[in-house]
Amino acid sequence: MTLPVRILGIDPGLRRTGWGVITATGTKVAYVDCGVVTSDGDLPLALRLRELYEGVTRIVEAFQPDEVSVEETFVNKDAQATLKLGHARAVALLVPALAGMPVFEYSANLIKKTVTGSGHAEKVQVQAMVKFLLPKAAFKVADAADALAIALAHNSHRGTHALRIKHAPMPGASALAAARIAAALARG
């Protein structure tokens, strides 16, 4: 029997960080909850990041996910906006990492392609597929729907990560192999 895996998806943003939790049992996925963590735009950056940190911490503590997936930063024309998004993303990566949870990152195009079949799908298409795949999902804002899409994308790619880990060389194995080759060459 396959054990259920609780997955938290995070769509980082300085104003609104979306979050969505699903449970995956074998090939079945079920909606758990979703929402947004917000920061007050009138506060200095450090305090806004603190609000996000505290909010994401509450989500991680409340749902105790087994795995966490976060959307990667895309670079847009506004360097300042990209930098601020990077700060919010750092919070989204740091909180679950501090809790000892594995964190995975996915590009926006891979998330869209995994959920809708098209890497350039519009937000409304992503929301429609999330609603189709998770009929009980009750998201009120696009950021929460995006976070659920991130969790769904991670669920689809979990097998790839497991294979990569299973077949990864053991730590130090390449150094040991290099030492053996060097010794053989020195003898020969």
Side-chain angles (χ1 to χ4, degrees), residues 102-172:
V103 181
F104 302 86
E105 301 174 70
Y106 298 95
S107 70
N109 284 353
L110 180 61
I111 294 162
K112 291 175 184 179
K113 184 172 178 86
T114 302
V115 174
T116 69
S118 170
H120 299 288
E122 299 293 326
K123 278 198 177 284
V124 74
Q125 292 171 292
V126 173
Q127 291 174 12
M129 282 306 296
V130 166
K131 194 67 176 160
F132 176 76
L133 295 168
L134 301 169
K136 294 182 180 179
F139 50 86
K140 294 181 175 94
V141 293
D143 302 288
D146 290 346
L148 288 169
I150 295 162
L152 288 165
H154 173 65
N155 184 55
S156 293
H157 293 278
R158 289 183 72 243
T160 303
H161 293 296
L163 283 173
R164 190 174 300 134
I165 291 167
K166 181 179 177 182
H167 295 291
M170 294 183 60

